């Protein structure tokens, strides 16, 4: 039981660390933006990353904190996260998603190369947005689909 | 890989959840093991065999033919 709680405590510490990092980034982004106002750059992206980090960190804290005080919850959470069959299924799904993601990046590299010669339209504007959306969404679908199939298969 | 997990579990009147709790895996893993859909890691196989006070070969039935057929 102590090992499970220690593992959960580590996750909670990581969560609080991410929250702290998020706060730092938000403040830093605001300060940098104020100091460099008018230089044409929008430093809101720094604050946006900070909000993302804080959100992920808060999610970790909310998920793992109950495990610190209750043995049954600690057991349930650690089994969900560390069950070898589940870990194997998620690993396979991640590998497949990575292959698809790498394919998207390779295609984009080829596209940019050909576009520089004028052989294909440049990857910009709406086309770029849709391409990036696909590069994010398709690997995620592959990941989710792989998990769904393997949960039934194994 | 075929195994006698369900046989040994039911002999002891353990539920799948109880067995899962004893070896620190999910109930779904026990279900998949008993149906022969999932092969355990060597560590899990040892934990299960020791729980039943048996050898691994008594619980998990390795077959060359099955291994070749994948």
């Amino acid at each position: 039981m102590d090992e499970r709680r220690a593992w959960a405590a580590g996750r909670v510490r990581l969560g609080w660390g991410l929250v702290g990092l998020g706060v730092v980034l938000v403040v830093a982004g605001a300060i940098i933006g104020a100091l460099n106002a008018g230089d044409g750059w929008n430093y809101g992206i720094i604050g946006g990353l900070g909000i993302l980090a804080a959100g992920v960190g808060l999610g970790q804290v909310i998920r793992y904190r109950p495990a610190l005080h209750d043995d049954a919850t600690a057991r349930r959470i650690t089994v969900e996260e560390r069950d070898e069959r589940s870990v194997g299924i998620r690993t396979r799904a991640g590998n497949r998603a990575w292959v698809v993601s790498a394919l998207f990046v390779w295609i984009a590299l080829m596209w940019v190369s050909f576009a520089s010669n004028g052989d294909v339209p440049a990857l910009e504007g709406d086309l770029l947005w849709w391409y990036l959306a696909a590069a994010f969404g398709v690997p995620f679908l592959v990941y989710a689909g792989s998990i769904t199939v393997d949960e039934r298969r194994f | 890989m075929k195994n006698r997990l369900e046989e040994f579990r039911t002999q002891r009147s353990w539920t799948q959840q109880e067995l899962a709790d004893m070896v620190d895996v999910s109930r779904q893993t026990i279900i998949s093991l008993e149906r022969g859909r999932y092969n355990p890691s060597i560590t899990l196989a040892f934990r299960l065999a020791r729980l039943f006070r048996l050898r691994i070969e008594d619980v998990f039935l390795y077959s060359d033919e099955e291994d070749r057929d994948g």
Side-chain angles (χ1 to χ4, degrees), chain A residues 3-4 75 78-79 82-86 151-154, chain B residues 17 20-21 24-26 28-29 32 37-38 40-41 44:
Chain A
E3 185 270 330
R4 290 190 192 122
R75 192 203 171 273
T78 52
V79 165
R82 303 192 301 184
D83 174 71
E84 62 173 53
R85 175 181 162 275
S86 295
E151 279 287 346
R152 288 183 190 155
R153 186 173 163 210
F154 296 113
Chain B
Q17 184 63 61
D21 290 345
D24 247 1
V25 296
S26 66
Q28 185 56 53
T29 297
S32 294
R37 285 188 192 164
Y38 173 70
S41 67
L44 179 57

Side-chain angles (χ1 to χ4, degrees), chain A residues 7-132:
Chain A
W7 179 81
R11 293 287 181 161
V12 170
R13 277 195 300 273
L14 174 65
W16 283 123
L18 284 171
V19 169
L21 174 66
V23 169
V24 166
L25 285 175
V26 167
V27 170
I31 292 172
I32 293 172
L35 291 175
N36 297 283
D39 67 355
W41 284 89
N42 185 347
Y43 294 94
I45 192 169
I46 300 175
L49 288 173
I51 292 171
L52 176 64
V56 169
L58 204 57
Q60 291 266 101
V61 171
I62 290 170
R63 173 160 171 75
Y64 295 106
R65 201 161 177 275
L68 301 181
H69 307 293
D70 178 55
D71 285 346
T73 304
R75 192 203 171 273
R76 179 181 57 80
I77 288 175
T78 52
V79 165
E80 278 174 14
E81 296 275 330
R82 303 192 301 184
D83 174 71
E84 62 173 53
R85 175 181 162 275
S86 295
V87 168
I89 287 172
R90 290 201 302 267
T91 301
R92 282 167 63 99
N95 289 343
R96 288 169 178 158
W98 180 86
V99 168
V100 172
S101 181
L103 187 62
F104 268 93
V105 171
W106 186 84
I107 290 172
L109 285 170
M110 292 296 109
W111 195 322
V112 168
S113 293
F114 283 125
S116 66
N117 295 329
D119 294 333
V120 294
L123 202 55
E124 58 189 7
D126 283 353
L127 186 59
L128 176 61
W129 191 93
W130 282 108
Y131 189 89
L132 288 175

Side-chain angles (χ1 to χ4, degrees), chain B:
Chain B
M1 188 190 309
K2 289 193 175 68
N3 60 75
R4 300 172 65 187
L5 212 58
E6 185 176 4
E7 175 190 337
F8 294 131
R9 177 179 63 78
T10 52
Q11 275 176 6
R12 291 156 178 78
S13 302
W14 293 341
T15 63
Q16 289 172 331
Q17 184 63 61
E18 286 170 342
L19 179 57
D21 290 345
M22 288 181 219
V23 291
D24 247 1
V25 296
S26 66
R27 180 171 161 261
Q28 185 56 53
T29 297
I30 298 298
I31 292 170
S32 294
L33 282 168
E34 289 184 352
R35 289 180 183 172
R37 285 188 192 164
Y38 173 70
N39 292 332
S41 67
I42 187 73
T43 312
L44 179 57
F46 264 111
R47 288 211 302 266
L48 286 164
R50 287 196 174 178
L51 191 63
F52 295 125
R53 299 184 194 278
L54 296 166
R55 300 175 309 161
I56 283 187
E57 303 95 304
D58 296 328
V59 181
F60 296 96
L61 312 172
Y62 176 76
S63 152
D64 281 334
E65 271 182 28
E66 271 184 10
D67 197 15
R68 254 184 269 119
D69 295 342

